[in-house]
Amino acid sequence: MTPLWTAAEIAAATGGTASADFAATGVAFDSREVGPGDLFVALTGDSTDGHRFLDQAFAQGAAGAIVSAGTAHPHVRVDDTFAALNDLGRAARARMAGTVIGVTGSVGKTSAKEALFVALDRSLADAVHRSVKSYNNHTGVPLSLARMPRETRVGVFEMGMNHAGELSALTRLVRPHVAIVTAIAPAHTEFFPDEAAIADAKGEIFQGLEPGGVAIVPFDSPHRDRLIAAAAPYAARTVTFGMGRDADVRAVEAMRLPSGASFVTAKLGDRELSFTLAQPGMHWVSNALAVLAAVDAAGADLARAGLALAEMGGLSGRGARFLARVDGGDMLVIDESYNANPASMRATLAVLAEEPGRHVAVLGEMRELGDAAADYHAGLAEPILAARVETALLVGEAMAPLAQALEARINVVHVPDAATALGRLQDLARAGDAVLVKGSNGVGLSRVIAGLGGGT
């Protein structure tokens, strides 16, 4: 196996000094994730110091470490380990001769990133690299870059933000050839005056485009023109996707199948592609159109991308489905536990609406919504009723306005935490139920999923 990094390459990239020769096949900064052959980056912060975990990392098989303090283990010593991680990411990007795709958006960015990976991997097997999990911030992005094999032909990187200026820095690190904004919606509104400001912050992704780069923006968004204007100084070409007739990549037809999947016919200019989309919901149709636009911009095979989308399974925390055993049989659980904002709540409630059986919604509070949080929560009442939810199990203090809005209209159970929610759900669940579990990640609804036998 070709090493990902040698000690000499790490030293050259970071300006550090190597204590010994070693070769690493992976990179990690969380000692719990270190495996045999990995390079461990000992990051320091306000509440932790990776140097405390060096012995653990090497006991788990680390090949070497990046450190800023003395150690007897094989290492490259630098002044600042966080700066060194960024330097390593830059070096990985510099030596990669293929195509880089950057993805951001208020909703759908992780799902689109994963769909892009499977779509591209179908025709470029073992030559596509993507950021794992939701490693999309100031530490996750350079880590994902540093993990990119030198032979990669296409790299797909998710970038997130909750303050203005953050994406500008990340995209200049990634330097994408193709940059996607999936959607603009109320998220992190605690830190922005309005949705237009969120669009401006997401539009920063275009600032890192390489010469000749392609910007991909949602046609149906009210902020479409704002995003197009943000891309104009940096993109050689802007491609729109959506349902509107004038979108560059548009869905001519999107028909729900009995299985819950969608049959989609998409037009890309004068070309037409029909495919089955395994993931249910119109929000996934939008994701798929963005994916096709990026696959086309990268020069990859559209037909094979369509086949991959037909076979793509649900993502843990983002639409995975499983059957949970209850008295008398099974209930369907839709795992959307990873995160939530008003737009994604509405989208997944619409998916629940299409399921047979009694509908139960386990909904955790939505965070970082600022002064409008009460209105955003109460505003979920109508989508919940439209989804024919019989019992709403609401988790967290911020759900109080929604509980009040639903009072006397459906059965409402309002609980303080995920552990209590699991117990109440197990008490009220019946065979044949369809249960949606969704909330902001900090609420911890993944514990409900785990308690039902799902998750990874």
Side-chain angles (χ1 to χ4, degrees), residues 14 35 42 44 164 185 197 239 255-256 281 291 305 336 344 353 441:
T14 63
T44 59
V239 176
M255 179 176 63
R256 178 183 165 86
V291 166
E336 288 276 356
S344 64
N441 194 38

Side-chain angles (χ1 to χ4, degrees), residues 322 324 422 426 445-454:
F322 64 95
L422 174 61
Q426 290 170 327
L445 293 187
S446 57
R447 298 171 200 160
V448 173
I449 297 298
L452 297 174

Side-chain angles (χ1 to χ4, degrees), residues 326-420:
V326 294
D327 287 344
D330 295 322
M331 65 178 181
L332 171 68
V333 181
I334 303 171
D335 176 13
E336 288 276 356
S337 60
Y338 183 78
N339 220 336
N341 59 42
S344 64
M345 281 284 200
R346 290 171 181 268
T348 49
L349 283 164
V351 171
L352 177 65
E354 300 292 334
E355 297 300 329
R358 186 181 71 142
H359 293 172
V360 177
V362 182
L363 305 179
E365 63 186 24
M366 302 176 291
R367 298 185 174 175
E368 295 185 355
L369 293 178
D371 294 339
D375 292 338
Y376 281 126
H377 284 86
L380 295 178
E382 294 309 319
I384 288 171
L385 296 174
R388 298 178 290 107
V389 171
E390 293 188 27
T391 296
L393 208 169
L394 308 179
V395 187
E397 183 179 351
M399 277 295 190
L402 178 57
Q404 185 176 1
L406 290 171
E407 191 176 14
R409 304 172 79 178
I410 62 172
N411 182 39
V412 177
V413 180
H414 189 193
V415 299
D417 52 47
T420 308

